[in-house]
Amino acid sequence: MNGIKRYKLNALITGASSGIGKDFAYELAKNGYSLTLVARDLGRLNEIKHDLESKYKIKVKVDSKDLSKNTETNELVNGLKSEDYGLVVLAAGYGSGGKFHSLDLDTELNMIDVNCRSVVQICHEFIQHRKDESPKGIVLFGSLVGFQGVPWTATYAATKAFIQSFAEALSGEYINKGIDIISVAPGPVKTSFGNRAGMVMGNAQSPDGIAKEVLRKLGKTVTVRPGFLSKFLGYSLITLPRNLRTFVLKQIMGQMVFGSKG
Ligand SMILES: NC(=O)c1ccc[n+]([C@@H]2O[C@H](COP(=O)([O-])OP(=O)(O)OC[C@H]3O[C@@H](n4cnc5c(N)ncnc54)[C@H](OP(=O)(O)O)[C@@H]3O)[C@@H](O)[C@H]2O)c1
């Protein structure tokens, strides 16, 4: 079978309470997937669950987990053993903006746990204890900032470089083995991300429709730049040498974080 229904119709989505993860929840529900939605905010997860169950004939479970806490990530990973997902979408993540030494160290370290450590743990469990030979899909979240160092968001950009490299490597290992892995590399997207990161994004795309494009490309490419803005910014930057990309993004990030070049 081709298309998004080739996977078992059961998906885990982290970061499902808002933004791009929420868009995945609606797109997969529309395609008949039962879902397990993970984030910290149980109230928002329950609202989404009730809305999805009233609109589509699917079952939705919610699981409140703080993925910056290793004990909670371990609980989620242990729970995977008794589940049989066709797809995992690991959208939970956050960023920070500012001069590195002025940022809260715990926020930076927790970011590594959410954006990278939890992703490695979940992927390891999902692949190691694959239940059968049916096709599986893994959707990971890199970023436009993950292709070079980016001043004023140093840790965040480094977490996204990690995910980009991790996705490319896993895709290389499991190509032709029935596990499709994709890295989503958006430019600025209008979600709660900017507020939490302390970044003002003047020109940003809507999260709506990102899931549809990504799911269409899953299994066909390793990296997807969803929407026009991501493609325009991504392909313009990629032609520059790495040090020049860092210079350009320093100017852009300076505007987003300080309202000036920083
Ligand atoms: N927006 C952008 O411009 C942009 C650009 C490139 C890449 N991305 C990436 O895209 C992904 C989705 O981001 P988004 O734009 O949709 O942002 P968002 O609207 O802020 O969504 C982030 C999601 O992650 C969850 N989350 C955050 N911290 C968590 C934690 N400690 N434990 C568990 N869940 C946590 C949030 O839920 P709770 O708050 O309920 O926990 C929320 O559901 C992220 O990986 C982000 O880095 C975003």
Side-chain angles (χ1 to χ4, degrees):
M1 190 188 288
N2 287 324
I4 189 55
K5 296 196 177 170
R6 68 189 179 280
Y7 307 105
K8 204 160 275 178
L9 297 181
N10 192 17
L12 170 76
I13 307 175
T14 71
S17 64
S18 75
I20 305 171
K22 183 175 164 187
D23 186 51
F24 269 89
Y26 278 82
E27 186 60 30
L28 288 170
K30 209 188 291 174
N31 280 285
Y33 275 77
S34 289
L35 302 171
T36 302
L37 308 180
V38 179
R40 292 169 304 170
D41 189 329
L42 190 58
R44 272 192 290 160
L45 289 177
N46 271 322
E47 276 172 30
I48 295 167
K49 168 187 161 77
H50 294 132
D51 191 39
L52 289 175
E53 285 182 338
S54 71
K55 286 185 174 137
Y56 307 102
K57 282 189 181 134
I58 56 158
K59 282 262 169 261
V60 180
K61 293 186 209 168
V62 295
D63 191 0
S64 168
K65 289 279 182 287
D66 184 341
L67 299 176
S68 71
K69 298 191 170 128
N70 293 344
T71 47
E72 298 195 22
T73 305
N74 291 344
E75 282 168 18
L76 175 66
V77 169
N78 283 333
L80 296 185
K81 296 183 200 308
S82 54
E83 293 287 346
D84 190 8
Y85 296 115
L87 266 181
V88 295
V89 177
L90 305 183
Y94 69 94
S96 64
K99 294 178 181 160
F100 176 66
H101 69 272
S102 71
L103 296 169
D104 175 62
L105 182 59
D106 282 340
T107 305
E108 300 294 286
L109 295 174
N110 288 342
M111 189 194 301
I112 298 170
D113 282 337
V114 177
N115 295 11
C116 302
R117 194 178 199 279
S118 75
V119 171
V120 173
Q121 267 188 273
I122 294 167
C123 288
H124 192 265
E125 174 60 36
F126 183 63
I127 296 173
Q128 188 175 53
H129 293 122
R130 189 179 175 184
K131 301 281 183 307
D132 53 41
E133 295 300 304
S134 67
K136 308 283 178 212
I138 300 177
V139 179
L140 303 181
F141 287 80
S143 165
L144 180 73
V145 302
F147 297 93
Q148 62 288 297
V150 182
W152 320 131
T153 188
T155 310
Y156 176 65
T159 66
K160 293 300 165 180
F162 177 96
I163 292 299
Q164 183 62 32
S165 169
F166 185 62
E168 288 170 10
L170 288 192
S171 177
E173 285 190 38
Y174 297 102
I175 195 165
N176 300 328
K177 297 210 167 62
I179 306 177
D180 301 324
I181 295 140
I182 199 164
S183 169
V184 186
V189 184
K190 243 177 256 143
T191 62
S192 43
F193 175 89
N195 252 351
R196 189 171 179 197
M199 296 175 193
V200 177
M201 296 178 184
N203 202 355
Q205 70 183 100
S206 159
D208 301 344
I210 289 184
K212 191 172 184 176
E213 179 177 351
V214 172
L215 292 169
R216 209 173 49 234
K217 303 235 170 102
L218 182 61
K220 297 183 182 140
T221 183
V222 182
T223 302
V224 56
R225 299 172 188 274
F228 171 77
L229 191 60
S230 302
K231 287 182 188 53
F232 176 71
L233 293 172
Y235 294 129
S236 317
L237 282 166
I238 214 82
T239 58
L240 302 176
R242 199 173 165 112
N243 59 348
L244 206 49
R245 296 207 297 270
T246 295
F247 175 80
V248 171
L249 282 168
K250 178 179 179 181
Q251 318 307 308
I252 296 173
M253 197 51 70
Q255 288 291 347
M256 283 164 63
V257 173
F258 307 115
S260 69
K261 287 177 186 166

